[in-house]
Amino acid sequence: MSPTTSSTDPWGRWGWLYGGIWLFFFLFPLVEVWTSDRTLPAQLAATGLIGAFCLVYVVTLRGAVAEVVQGSFARAQRRGILGLTVLIALAVALAAMIGSNSMTTLPFLVSLPVFFLPWRAMWATSLTIFGLGILGSLLAWGFWPASMLWGISVLVLGMSVMSRYLEESQEAAQEVANQLSLTEERERVARDVHDVLGHSLTVVTVKTELAARLIDVDPERAKQEMAQVQDLARQALAEIRATVGGLRVARLAEEVDSARVALDSAGIEAELPPDLSVVDPRHRITLAWVVREAVTNVVRHSRASRCRVELGESWVRVSDDGVGLDGRAEGTGLKGVRERVQQAGGTLTLRPGMERPGEGGRGTELEVRW
């Protein structure tokens, strides 16, 4: 488990039961102890060793899992190794007392390192314990008395390894998903900030240039333009704050009004749709961003004299009579709009637009359609 695993995660809190539930196998040596002809002190001693083994196993397993969940891997290893050492000593003492029935401890000794050691150390420790268990049982009791518990040990080890592998795979997948989500959020904020600042600064630039030209010939009009610049700056600041906070939602009516202001300030004749109710509500937010970025590009790059915005139920078309594309690569803003549209299930197309007056060329047309 990774350090990011929450302590409130059910597996983190109760996963130790997965290993502890197998303790019911000790019923078999207990039955053998109490149905044998051993003396009462020997039976009590053997029962005490079995009880001590079960207690130390549960305490070690639960403590190691808790440390791993909290990210204290070094402490988990120290705690686990200490508990494993005590368990091995108890298993040896039990073997000397009850013989081959003590092999019930082998599956627990073999699988315990899975819960607190790194993979390489775990394999080395578990396989060493398993090998020593096989060798000792062969020398002490022969093949048949312990052979079934060898198979059970392999089965328990395999199940423990599989559970750990699946848990770590799930955590790795979750980490990748978190990173992708973080990347997408960063891209969203960057795209929103670009769209907000690009549009607002373009309009501010146009209006300040207009005010500079009017300051000598029409001071009152220049003051009005500068007052609008102040309002735009405040609005842009509020939008940036809302964007960073994830609250910014473009609204189609607002963007059409902003487009009218931007185009008028740039001296571009605006043809805007009179009725926005025809647009499918599912597409209005995306189309609002499209209108904002497309009009910003017209004002900033096209050198157009006319701009037309058309809206339908599931499409928008923005065309101008400017200088056209001229083979230029898409900028950051246009790429951001294309990503928005694709995420919403639409397609964005660029083609030649309206004819340029007196030059015979054509401007640019941007169309988004579902």
Side-chain angles (χ1 to χ4, degrees):
M1 298 180 186
S2 70
T4 57
T5 303
S6 171
S7 60
T8 60
D9 177 66
W11 175 258
R13 296 179 63 186
W14 308 107
W16 61 274
L17 288 174
Y18 175 80
I21 196 173
W22 304 104
L23 291 172
F24 77 87
F25 278 113
F26 280 101
L27 289 174
F28 299 103
L30 282 173
V31 170
E32 193 279 334
V33 166
W34 287 99
T35 57
S36 67
D37 56 359
R38 295 182 178 87
T39 63
L40 180 61
Q43 291 174 330
L44 291 175
T47 302
L49 285 175
I50 292 174
F53 186 94
C54 294
L55 178 62
V56 173
Y57 176 80
V58 170
V59 170
T60 301
L61 180 61
R62 185 175 183 181
V65 170
E67 297 290 356
V68 170
V69 168
Q70 295 172 11
S72 303
F73 298 104
R75 291 180 59 183
Q77 292 173 24
R78 290 195 299 268
R79 191 167 186 169
I81 292 172
L82 176 61
L84 183 61
T85 303
V86 174
L87 289 173
I88 291 174
L90 290 171
V92 171
L94 196 60
M97 185 169 293
I98 66 174
S100 60
N101 283 285
S102 66
M103 288 296 292
T104 304
T105 62
L106 185 60
F108 299 92
L109 298 176
V110 168
S111 62
L112 184 60
V114 175
F115 294 91
F116 60 85
L117 287 179
W119 281 108
R120 184 175 297 180
M122 180 275 295
W123 282 117
T125 304
S126 294
L127 293 180
T128 298
I129 293 173
F130 185 57
L132 292 175
I134 291 178
L135 180 61
S137 60
L138 282 174
L139 293 177
W141 310 298
F143 179 81
W144 290 111
S147 58
M148 183 178 70
L149 287 168
W150 299 344
I152 293 176
S153 299
V154 172
L155 178 63
V156 172
L157 177 61
M159 293 176 64
S160 300
V161 168
M162 182 60 67
S163 67
R164 172 174 168 176
Y165 174 78
L166 292 175
E167 176 72 11
E168 292 186 355
S169 298
Q170 181 180 3
E171 290 182 7
Q174 184 62 45
E175 182 66 22
V176 171
N178 292 340
Q179 290 296 327
L180 289 175
S181 178
L182 180 60
T183 300
E184 291 176 356
E185 181 64 14
R186 286 173 176 171
E187 292 177 350
R188 181 196 67 80
V189 172
R191 187 168 58 241
D192 290 356
V193 168
H194 172 275
D195 291 348
V196 170
L197 281 182
H199 176 79
S200 300
L201 293 180
T202 297
V203 178
V204 166
T205 300
V206 171
K207 284 189 169 293
T208 52
E209 291 174 352
L210 177 60
R213 293 195 300 268
L214 293 173
I215 195 167
D216 293 327
V217 297
D218 192 348
E220 290 300 321
R221 174 73 185 281
K223 289 181 180 179
Q224 293 176 5
E225 294 295 332
M226 292 307 299
Q228 292 181 14
V229 167
Q230 291 179 342
D231 291 339
L232 285 170
R234 294 191 188 98
Q235 180 182 351
L237 180 60
E239 289 180 342
I240 288 297
R241 289 171 175 168
T243 296
V244 173
L247 303 175
R248 167 65 180 164
V249 177
R251 291 178 173 81
L252 188 56
E254 294 177 2
E255 298 306 332
V256 171
D257 290 339
S258 297
R260 178 179 290 104
V261 173
L263 293 170
D264 289 344
S265 299
I268 300 174
E269 180 184 347
E271 300 178 25
L272 301 174
D275 184 12
L276 306 182
S277 62
V278 298
V279 179
D280 190 326
R282 295 175 298 174
H283 306 316
R284 286 181 181 176
I285 293 177
T286 304
L287 293 185
W289 285 112
V290 173
V291 170
R292 169 182 279 257
E293 180 60 26
V295 171
T296 299
N297 284 339
V298 170
V299 173
R300 184 184 297 171
H301 304 298
S302 71
R303 301 200 297 273
S305 60
R306 288 188 301 151
C307 176
R308 180 187 302 129
V309 178
E310 301 170 273
L311 287 168
E313 181 180 2
S314 58
W315 58 271
V316 63
R317 187 181 300 119
V318 181
S319 54
D320 64 71
D321 62 353
V323 296
L325 297 173
D326 291 334
R328 289 175 295 182
E330 293 184 3
T332 303
L334 193 55
K335 289 180 180 178
V337 170
R338 188 180 294 278
E339 290 174 1
R340 287 182 190 276
V341 172
Q342 290 175 348
Q343 290 173 1
T347 57
L348 185 149
T349 305
L350 291 173
R351 61 173 72 96
M354 295 186 289
E355 292 186 3
R356 298 206 302 271
E359 299 183 23
R362 303 184 72 87
T364 305
E365 180 177 283
L366 179 150
E367 182 180 80
V368 170
R369 184 178 293 274
W370 278 263

